[in-house]
Amino acid sequence: MKLLTTLAATALSLPFISASVIRRAHDAPAFDQDFPDPSVLEDADGTWYAFGTTGNGKQIQVAKGGCLYGKWNLLESIDALPKSAAWTTGRNTWAPDVHQVADGSYVMYYSGEVAENANHHCIGTAVSDTVTGPFIPDEEPFACNLTIGGSIDASGFEDVDGKRYVLYKIDGNSVGHGGSCGNTVQPIVPTPIMLQEVGDDGVTKIGDPIQILDRTDADGPLVEAPSVVRTDDGMYILFFSSGCYLEPSYNVNYATSMSLQGPYQRADSPMIRTGEYSLQAPGGATAVNVRDKVGIAFHANCPEGRCMYTEPTDIDGREVRVVM
C-alpha cells in the first residue's frame, strides 16, 4: 500500500494544504462498518458526507468526514430517508446518491425495492433542504420498467455546461435465466447503462435516455454502479462494476470517452479486483473531483459486511490507476 507521505504535524504547519487531500496513514477502510454502495458529497462548508445502502438500522445511512481520504463516522441519529414512497417496500433500499441542485436544495437518487414485486428494484428520487435530510420521496419512480428487470444504481452528474444527467443500470439480470447473479445461463439478458438528461431540479426528464455501455462476455453477468466524472482536459471517465457482487469476480472497472454520450473505450483490465491491495469483491464505486484529482469511494468485503474505502487515482492519458 502507498503510505501517507505528509504527516499530520506537517499538515498542521502548512495551512494552505486542503483537508480534502490529506490521506490516511494506513490501509484500513475509511469507514469500518457495513456501508455498501457508498456515494460521497463535499458540502459548501467543506464537510464531506457519505450515503450508504440500508444497514445499521437505517433505510439510508449517512456518515460524516472532515476529508474524503480520512476517517468517517456514522451519524447514528440520522436516517436520510425515514419515509418510504408507496411504490416501495421500505426495505432493502440500495445505492443512494445525493447532489445539490440549482436552487440550493438536495436531490437523492436511490434504488427502491418494488412493493408489487420484491424481486425487483426501481429508481426513486427524493428531495431535502438539508444535506442529511430528511429526504421526502417522490411518489412516482424515476425509472421503472419491470418487463426488462427494473432499474438500479442511479448517479447524478453535472457537466461543464451546467446540464444535468442521471446514469443508471437496467437491472436485466433480475429477469435472467440463472447462474452467477442470475445471468450466466443462456439466453443472457442485457444490463445496459443508461444516460438520462434532466432539468435544473435534477429530476425532470429531458428527452429519452440513451445507452452508453452494456455487458460483454468479459463482464460476466452484468455491468452496474455507473459513475462519471470529467477531467480538466475534457475526458469523461465512466466507472462501473462487473462480475457478481456476491463473488470474488466483482470489481471496479472503467471506460473513457471524449464525449459524455460516448462511445466509451473500455480499459484493458479492471482498475481494482479481488486479491489486489488485500481487497475482496471491491465494487460500487462513486467518483468525485477533488481539487485537480479524481477520487473514488467504493466498498469491499470486510468482517462487518461491506466497508467503505476512499482512494485517489492517477490518470495518464486514458489509463486510470488507483493509488493505494
Side-chain angles (χ1 to χ4, degrees), residues 277-293:
Y277 315 109
S278 301
L279 297 172
Q280 297 294 315
T286 292
V288 289
N289 293 105
V290 185
R291 310 305 176 254
D292 61 345
K293 301 290 186 180

Side-chain angles (χ1 to χ4, degrees), residues 31-40 49-54 56 60-63 72 74 298-300 302 304-308:
F31 186 51
D32 58 358
Q33 296 190 40
D34 186 35
F35 202 83
D37 308 313
S39 69
V40 290
Y49 295 90
F51 302 85
T53 282
T54 294
N56 291 306
I60 295 296
Q61 305 180 73
V62 185
W72 294 73
L74 184 70
F298 62 95
H299 71 241
C302 62
E304 294 77 15
R306 287 177 286 172
C307 292
M308 181 176 74

Side-chain angles (χ1 to χ4, degrees), residues 230-231 233-236 256-264 318:
R230 183 184 185 275
T231 65
D233 63 359
M235 183 175 73
Y236 296 87
T256 57
S257 176
M258 297 309 294
S259 167
L260 178 61
Q261 290 77 17
Y264 281 86
R318 291 201 169 203

